[in-house]
Amino acid sequence: MRVFENVLTDRGSKYAVSGGPADSRAAAQAFVKTLKKNKKFAKATHNTWAVLLDADGSPEPVKNDDGEAGAGMVILRMLERAGRTNHVVVVTRWYGGVKLGGDRFRRVQDAVTYYLDRLGD
């Protein structure tokens, strides 16, 4: 499990990004559950996540927006472009009191880019 806290802030909202191996929906959900054992992450406004599961050569997208509508799809698209399968990525947001509108998708992209840049191969 790799966790990067305080990756970015925008109008009071704070972001972290985490990830690790997951070869099934259950493994991805267990990853998020483990992450949320940390009180800080359990109290976050959103723990949005996605994974491309590749068991038989055709990736199956699995995502959870956790109230941040559309954010899981942003993560999925980025995983597809990076060719990253069987690896869950979680973008955590602590709401700062100001709605970000469409900028929230850019912040999700920024967080996933940060993670993928540090992941290597």
Side-chain angles (χ1 to χ4, degrees), residues 13 23 40 58 71-72 74 77-79 89-90 109 112 115 117:
S13 286
D23 59 2
K40 181 176 181 178
S58 58
V74 172
R77 282 192 213 119
M78 294 186 73
L79 290 172
V89 174
V90 181
Q109 286 177 326
V112 175
Y115 181 81
D117 286 351

Side-chain angles (χ1 to χ4, degrees), residues 49-95:
W49 60 270
V51 61
L52 281 172
L53 300 174
D54 190 10
D56 61 3
S58 58
E60 173 195 348
V62 179
K63 65 179 178 63
N64 185 317
D65 290 335
D66 192 29
E68 188 81 282
M73 186 56 72
V74 172
I75 300 169
L76 275 175
R77 282 192 213 119
M78 294 186 73
L79 290 172
E80 286 172 347
R81 275 187 246 134
R84 181 65 65 178
T85 57
N86 296 334
H87 198 96
V88 64
V89 174
V90 181
V91 176
T92 302
R93 176 182 178 196
W94 292 270
Y95 181 64

Side-chain angles (χ1 to χ4, degrees), residues 1-9 13-19 35-42 44 47 90-94 111 114-115 118:
M1 176 181 285
R2 296 189 70 182
V3 179
F4 300 98
E5 295 187 44
N6 301 318
V7 172
L8 57 106
T9 60
S13 286
K14 295 178 181 176
Y15 288 83
V17 63
S18 313
L35 180 68
K36 290 169 77 173
K37 285 183 181 180
N38 178 327
K39 275 188 181 182
K40 181 176 181 178
F41 286 87
N47 282 290
V90 181
V91 176
T92 302
R93 176 182 178 196
W94 292 270
Y114 183 95
Y115 181 81
R118 281 148 186 84

